Amino acid sequence: HFGIVLLGRLPKNFQINDVAKELSVNGVTFMNTELLWEHFYEFEFWSQLVIRSFYKQPKGFKQVVIKPTKFNIFSNVILLVGEIGVGKTIICELLSKKLGFNYVSTRKCVAKLIGMKDFGTKERSEFQKKADEFINSPTGPLDLANEILDKIDSRKENIAIVDGIRHLKTVKELKVLCPGLILIYVDTTRDDAFRNYKNRGSLNIKIHQFRHERFHHVEREIPSIKYEADAYIFNGGNKEELLNEFINWFNANRK
């Protein structure tokens, strides 16, 4: 769809509260540049594009944001969920390498259960098709949750970080098996997701291919998992910024 951006000049005595009477717009307010960037991660993508196009990013702007900032982490099991290209796999790999977290790849668990090789950085359509059939079978979510649990239990003394769950039913089954687990939703802008995906893969992927994979049936439930999450990460930086921000947040909230 198209968005139209209007530049308006308002009289000095203009008050937004005098015109924002309808329920659908009564939360409207003015923001200066600093506030726009402070709340950048909360905007829809088209609004983020407008902000980036018309307002210079302030010095000291935090590229990675984690909410809530105060959060008690009691569990040794952390799930990272997010759409394709948001950086969840990168942070799992880095935490495994730097801190010795037990990295559990849901994709590898699914590959084992459907009897198919992990596609790695190659084209994923056939894998997605078979994975979709598996997870929608009567026992699929529970079978996957048990397979993940098996990988977690193999090194139960360590913190396990699980990447790649795509369905609410799997999350719910795993919560029964691992009470108190922490669910974190990872997000980024769509253009950054596309660049991240291209950089990690060996294919010269085009935007239409990326959109096809992002909106595949097997991926369709991911955005709804955000509303079940205990914490939210907006990843607008590089992998070092993402790792450092996560470690600082984790250490401050680990109990």
Side-chain angles (χ1 to χ4, degrees):
H1 60 268
F2 290 95
I4 299 174
V5 181
L6 301 177
L7 174 63
R9 296 185 182 277
L10 303 175
K12 291 182 179 179
N13 63 349
F14 180 85
Q15 295 293 325
I16 190 68
N17 292 333
D18 292 339
V19 295
K21 301 295 185 183
E22 295 184 23
L23 289 177
S24 60
V25 295
N26 63 7
V28 171
T29 186
F30 287 116
M31 287 186 169
N32 58 27
T33 302
E34 288 72 23
L35 273 176
L36 280 172
W37 280 102
E38 184 180 331
H39 294 272
F40 178 80
Y41 68 95
E42 298 175 3
F43 287 97
E44 294 183 26
F45 180 50
W46 71 270
S47 298
Q48 292 172 338
L49 290 175
V50 171
I51 294 169
R52 289 196 311 204
S53 299
F54 291 97
Y55 301 98
K56 185 177 179 181
Q57 191 178 102
K59 290 182 179 179
F61 172 71
K62 289 189 69 174
Q63 303 287 352
V64 179
V65 176
I66 303 181
K67 298 286 183 177
T69 52
K70 293 182 179 179
F71 185 74
N72 293 330
I73 302 173
F74 295 100
S75 176
N76 274 9
V77 180
I78 300 173
L79 309 187
L80 284 187
V81 178
E83 296 187 83
I84 292 172
V86 298
K88 60 188 185 301
T89 300
I90 291 173
I91 190 171
C92 286
E93 292 173 347
L94 288 171
L95 288 169
S96 175
K97 181 178 179 182
K98 301 288 186 180
L99 299 184
F101 281 21
N102 177 18
Y103 171 28
V104 179
S105 168
T106 300
R107 194 171 77 192
K108 290 183 178 179
C109 292
V110 171
K112 177 182 175 182
L113 291 167
I114 65 176
M116 189 174 182
K117 287 186 178 180
D118 185 354
F119 56 85
T121 59
K122 299 179 181 178
E123 207 271 336
R124 64 172 71 195
S125 349
E126 187 60 30
F127 187 94
Q128 284 178 320
K129 179 181 176 182
K130 289 191 176 182
D132 194 34
E133 292 171 355
F134 162 76
I135 206 65
N136 285 295
S137 66
T139 62
L142 180 57
D143 290 342
L144 178 55
N146 279 316
E147 183 65 26
I148 292 170
L149 182 65
D150 182 62
K151 297 296 185 293
I152 291 172
D153 283 345
S154 64
R155 289 172 59 188
K156 64 174 67 176
E157 73 281 1
N158 289 341
I159 295 167
I161 188 157
V162 183
D163 161 41
I165 289 181
R166 286 168 162 74
H167 295 83
L168 277 168
K169 286 184 179 179
T170 310
V171 172
K172 291 176 180 178
E173 295 287 4
L174 204 51
K175 280 185 173 182
V176 173
L177 299 173
C178 301
L181 64 78
I182 305 301
L183 175 60
I184 302 175
Y185 191 86
V186 187
D187 201 5
T188 190
T189 60
R190 292 189 182 182
D191 51 347
D192 276 348
F194 177 52
R195 282 190 289 270
N196 292 340
Y197 190 63
K198 284 184 70 175
N199 291 338
R200 278 186 65 82
S202 58
L203 299 175
N204 184 24
I205 192 168
K206 306 298 182 185
I207 187 66
H208 69 275
Q209 295 171 304
F210 172 72
R211 292 186 74 254
H212 174 74
E213 294 187 2
R214 183 185 176 99
F215 296 109
H216 189 277
H217 290 308
V218 79
E219 312 286 331
R220 65 183 178 273
E221 283 191 19
I222 294 176
S224 63
I225 299 178
K226 174 166 57 176
Y227 304 104
E228 304 288 328
D230 300 300
Y232 171 88
I233 298 176
F234 178 79
N235 175 28
N238 57 42
K239 61 183 181 180
E240 287 78 17
E241 291 170 314
L242 176 61
L243 176 65
N244 291 335
E245 191 67 25
F246 184 92
I247 290 175
N248 290 337
W249 173 81
F250 181 82
N251 289 337
N253 294 281
R254 178 68 172 165
K255 299 295 181 181

